[in-house]
Amino acid sequence: MRFWDFLRIDVSSLTDSFRRNSRVILLTMLSVVLVVCAACAVVFFLSLKGGEQVMVPAVEGKDLSVALLEMQAKELYPRIQLRYSDRPDDKGRIIEQEPKAGSIVKAGQRIALVVSRGVIIEKVENYIGQNIDDVRINLQTLFTSNTVPLLSVKEPVLYKFSQEPAGTILEQNPAPDTSITEPIQLTFVVSRGTQNDQLSVPTLTGRSIAEIIAVMEQTDLIFNFTARAPQNDETAGTVVSQLPAGDTQVTKFSVVDAVLAVPVTAPKGFIYGIFQEELPEYPYPFKITIDVISPTGERREYISVRHPGGPLSVPYLLPEGSMLSLSVLNKESGVYSLSPVNPGGQEQQ
């Protein structure tokens, strides 16, 4: 028999043999697959088997160095975060941990530790010469996240007349550089300003509303506006009389009465008006701001003055549909619709 006779394959014979033994072949292949899957599962779960289980130690309130040694003894690893706290003596101590003490975990797991950086400030600042409102805002911002602020202003503060601008802190207790070991209320003596400052009344007669607003922003006086129809050759939209007259010497925040000539019909699309509001009495002149909100929602500052409280009166000529927003010390206290004024001086409601 020649060699290549061995290479001849009887295809039909093999096909018949496969058909006769197909069930055995399939069972054999399935068995192999199951054995391989079982081996993979065993290897997978063996690989997941970690170290021994340990109990998380209680480290809250302990120094970081002590906590690290206790973690090391349990074969646990820390993940450290730094945070300011409310207590000065917390600095360098653990103030939070996760998982909590007593939890059962595997050796080698990471434990989150929050370490105190101490308080944001450690000593009382020198506030003398600063404005009381600025100090209030700064302290509120500084201790927003604190349950109990370390520093706060004791209310009501004490006021007295002085040569310093109104609102200036003249005295404080505790003194500057006092160490903060617990929450402190700061006692302040604040300037009311000079008692009898004299100034000259500006001349408003003949001025337009835009010019009046500019004068009001530069003068520490209280203006009371009324309106009437123009007479003779008076120009509509201007002040036609005032009392006291221009250049009269008066004390700060004296009242100046002014009459505004208002036409029966305003320019198309605009409204003449006088914004009037009764403000509470303030311990010293506060910053009062009025913004204009246009019909499209755009906001712009209209006037900003210092005011001691009481009647507030501001004239305007603004587009119809606008709104006025009144703010005291940068905090909005109300939003108002425009009301046209009639020549008799009263706004139409």
Side-chain angles (χ1 to χ4, degrees):
M1 182 180 290
R2 290 176 294 183
F3 173 74
W4 52 81
D5 290 336
F6 291 99
L7 300 179
R8 293 176 181 174
I9 299 175
D10 190 345
V11 176
S12 60
S13 177
L14 287 176
T15 303
D16 293 339
S17 177
F18 179 78
R19 288 174 179 173
R20 290 193 303 270
N21 300 291
S22 60
R23 185 174 182 180
V24 176
I25 294 172
L26 291 175
L27 290 174
T28 302
M29 293 175 62
L30 182 60
S31 299
V32 171
V33 171
L34 291 176
V35 170
V36 171
C37 291
C40 291
V42 171
V43 172
F44 175 74
F45 286 109
L46 287 176
S47 64
L48 287 181
K49 185 179 180 181
E52 61 178 329
Q53 292 185 324
V54 296
M55 181 180 292
V56 178
V59 295
E60 287 189 20
K62 297 181 179 180
D63 286 335
L64 177 59
S65 57
V66 175
L68 293 178
L69 291 176
E70 293 190 16
M71 291 288 173
Q72 182 177 338
K74 298 286 186 177
E75 296 185 6
L76 299 173
Y77 299 94
R79 181 183 292 110
I80 297 175
Q81 298 178 344
L82 300 178
R83 182 190 303 169
Y84 288 109
S85 62
D86 298 343
R87 296 166 51 88
D89 54 357
D90 277 346
K91 187 174 184 179
R93 296 180 182 274
I94 309 299
I95 55 178
E96 290 181 19
Q97 70 175 85
E98 184 62 36
K100 298 297 183 182
S103 302
I104 304 299
V105 299
K106 292 180 180 179
Q109 183 169 328
R110 290 192 177 274
I111 307 299
L113 302 178
V114 179
V115 183
S116 171
R117 301 177 66 176
V119 295
I120 298 178
I121 55 176
E122 298 180 348
K123 293 184 177 181
V124 176
E125 184 182 338
N126 183 2
Y127 296 104
I128 295 175
Q130 299 186 38
N131 183 275
I132 180 64
D133 298 314
D134 293 339
V135 171
R136 284 193 181 104
I137 293 172
N138 290 339
L139 292 180
Q140 290 174 1
T141 303
L142 195 61
F143 300 110
T144 299
S145 60
N146 293 53
T147 305
V148 178
L150 287 176
L151 291 177
S152 59
V153 178
K154 184 177 181 180
E155 303 289 353
V157 298
L158 305 176
Y159 291 92
K160 71 177 184 181
F161 293 106
S162 80
Q163 295 299 318
E164 296 296 328
T168 303
I169 296 174
L170 306 175
E171 303 173 21
Q172 74 175 73
N173 184 45
D177 295 329
T178 300
S179 296
I180 302 174
T181 57
E182 60 183 358
I184 294 175
Q185 281 195 319
L186 298 164
T187 301
F188 290 131
V189 177
V190 179
S191 171
R192 286 185 181 272
T194 54
Q195 185 172 10
N196 295 312
D197 276 354
Q198 297 287 313
L199 48 80
S200 179
V201 175
T203 299
L204 299 182
T205 305
R207 298 198 180 202
S208 66
I209 291 180
E211 293 172 326
I212 294 168
I213 296 301
V215 170
M216 292 177 66
E217 290 188 316
Q218 300 171 6
T219 308
D220 287 335
L221 291 171
I222 307 300
F223 294 91
N224 178 38
F225 292 95
T226 56
R228 64 168 173 79
Q231 299 175 1
N232 302 323
D233 59 350
E234 294 175 345
T235 303
T238 64
V239 171
V240 293
S241 67
Q242 70 176 84
L243 187 69
D247 296 328
T248 302
Q249 294 296 310
V250 297
T251 59
K252 273 188 175 182
F253 301 108
S254 295
V255 176
V256 176
D257 293 311
V259 178
L260 186 68
V262 176
V264 175
T265 303
K268 185 177 180 180
F270 286 81
I271 293 179
Y272 273 108
I274 298 176
F275 176 78
Q276 295 179 324
E277 183 70 9
E278 187 70 24
L279 303 175
E281 295 293 334
Y282 303 129
Y284 63 93
F286 281 1
K287 179 183 177 183
I288 307 296
T289 303
I290 296 178
D291 291 343
V292 176
I293 305 173
S294 71
T296 60
E298 297 178 357
R299 180 187 288 257
R300 66 177 177 86
E301 183 178 293
Y302 183 64
I303 187 172
S304 179
V305 297
R306 295 199 312 145
H307 202 289
L312 173 67
S313 180
V314 179
Y316 59 80
L317 174 61
L318 295 171
E320 292 180 346
S322 300
M323 306 280 285
L324 295 178
S325 169
L326 175 66
S327 298
V328 180
L329 293 177
N330 297 321
K331 182 177 181 181
E332 187 174 76
S333 62
V335 178
Y336 308 83
S337 301
L338 299 187
S339 298
V341 67
N342 63 35
Q346 299 296 322
E347 287 185 338
Q348 300 172 359
Q349 301 299 321

